[in-house]
Amino acid sequence: MKMEITKENRTWLDNLGLSHPIVIAGPCSAETEEQVLKTAHELKDTDTNIFRAGIWKPRTRPGGLKALEKKVCLGCKSARRNRINVTTEVGNAEHVEKALKYDIDILWIGARTTVNPFAVQEIADALKGVDKPILVKNPVNPDLALWLGGVERIRICRHQSTWGHSRGFSSYKTLNYRNKPKWHIAIELKKEFPDLPLILDPSHICGRRDTILDVSQTALDLNYDGFMIETHITPDDAWSDAKQQITPSRLKEISKT
Ligand code: PEP
Ligand code: MN
């Protein structure tokens, strides 16, 4: 995957001290302190410049995964000492408060949250005066207005660095994708906000490992600014999204292709 930097993105990349289009990598879920630290360590040999780990997971069904919040937050904090920025998902004001307490560098709003203007507004209010990049994922349903509204609510509270984040759109029983990319919707978003950096999440679009490279290549052709790729030390054992996670060494191979 050949990565080229576009002129308009140079400023925000420079501001973050990042020298090439963004690669965000790390596990779907922060499971244990050890898993967080091991994954962050293995990613040191890759092009990753932001480490992702989902601390508060929006579980579709009740029950299931329960990470030890404090431990994994501390794990993320130590991962950050390796000169890597850390990002996590926030779904409400309490998450924002905790993420700020643990000094997480970048926050993202997930697809299930962008659908709900009340939730996005609550997060925007909690973020007032906070100067950290915020990524707004597209809503699960293909509704451009909801995505635009999410970006606007965050921008209004003075976040200079708001990014768009495409993770595809859900539909019942899809054949090739877990979530269809519907590239034209992201293109429409860019028309409204030409300066908005756009990140692609091929992991949730593909839902499987073998098509991540192809989908990422399409995004590069469309001038996306970077990727968020779910990466796990032992993907088959992952507590969530096991089928789509790749190892840090596979990530290294993909970025060289
Ligand atoms: C995730 O990034 O693990 C996640 C839950 O994403 P989405 O909001 O796109 O479903
Ligand atoms: Mn996931």
Side-chain angles (χ1 to χ4, degrees):
M1 258 192 319
K2 195 162 162 282
M3 294 207 166
E4 273 173 21
I5 187 164
T6 55
K7 220 203 296 146
E8 60 270 28
N9 289 320
R10 194 165 286 284
T11 319
W12 61 269
L13 285 168
D14 283 351
N15 286 346
L16 275 176
L18 304 175
S19 56
H20 59 85
I22 301 293
V23 178
I24 306 172
C28 175
S29 305
E31 299 163 4
T32 63
E33 194 178 3
E34 193 198 358
Q35 171 246 15
V36 167
L37 290 175
K38 266 193 169 167
T39 314
H41 182 75
E42 287 190 20
L43 285 169
K44 270 168 66 180
D45 289 341
T46 68
D47 278 343
T48 304
N49 34 41
I50 301 173
F51 178 71
R52 70 150 276 158
I55 299 169
W56 302 287
K57 297 302 298 176
R59 303 304 288 161
T60 307
R61 309 279 297 270
L65 190 150
K66 183 134 185 47
L68 298 169
E69 180 186 286
K70 188 170 176 198
K71 287 210 158 170
V72 295
C73 281
L74 288 171
C76 286
K77 217 176 156 183
S78 350
R80 189 169 162 257
R81 284 197 206 108
N82 299 331
R83 290 185 302 114
I84 194 163
N85 291 286
V86 173
T87 182
T88 199
E89 172 172 351
V90 288
N92 58 36
E94 190 193 337
H95 297 162
V96 172
E97 194 189 310
K98 287 180 177 163
L100 296 179
K101 178 172 140 203
Y102 287 103
D103 206 13
I104 305 286
D105 306 279
I106 297 167
L107 309 177
W108 89 77
I109 296 180
R112 288 166 193 78
T113 305
T114 311
V115 290
N116 181 348
F118 289 124
V120 177
Q121 191 58 53
E122 176 185 318
I123 293 171
D125 292 341
L127 284 169
K128 269 206 183 101
V130 174
D131 189 20
K132 289 182 189 275
I134 313 294
L135 282 69
V136 182
K137 279 196 171 193
N138 64 255
V140 280
N141 53 325
D143 185 332
L144 174 65
L146 268 180
W147 198 5
L148 284 170
V151 170
E152 280 163 350
R153 281 176 204 275
I154 299 300
R155 282 211 155 174
I156 285 167
C157 67
R158 267 190 343 102
H159 288 285
Q160 298 311 316
S161 198
T162 309
W163 309 353
H165 192 354
S166 311
R167 51 79 79 194
F169 301 91
S170 71
S171 53
Y172 188 60
K173 284 193 181 160
T174 49
L175 213 53
N176 298 321
Y177 299 106
R178 178 177 175 194
N179 292 291
K180 288 190 178 166
K182 296 188 187 281
W183 302 104
H184 59 284
I185 298 184
I187 291 168
E188 290 295 322
L189 182 85
K190 271 294 252 198
K191 271 193 203 151
E192 293 280 336
F193 294 118
D195 62 327
L196 191 82
L198 208 50
I199 304 291
L200 183 86
D201 173 345
S203 308
H204 289 87
I205 289 177
C206 298
R208 50 197 257 197
R209 291 170 202 148
D210 58 331
T211 48
I212 286 179
L213 177 59
D214 277 358
V215 169
S216 304
Q217 187 58 60
T218 305
L220 278 181
D221 298 342
L222 290 171
N223 225 359
Y224 269 73
D225 303 287
F227 304 94
M228 180 187 271
I229 301 184
E230 287 190 337
T231 316
H232 195 283
I233 31 168
T234 49
D236 287 334
D237 303 326
W239 293 5
S240 59
D241 290 350
K243 284 194 190 139
Q244 70 197 35
Q245 301 206 55
I246 58 172
T247 58
S249 53
R250 177 64 189 145
L251 179 68
K252 203 169 168 183
E253 274 170 29
I254 285 183
S255 353
K256 285 200 185 124
T257 308

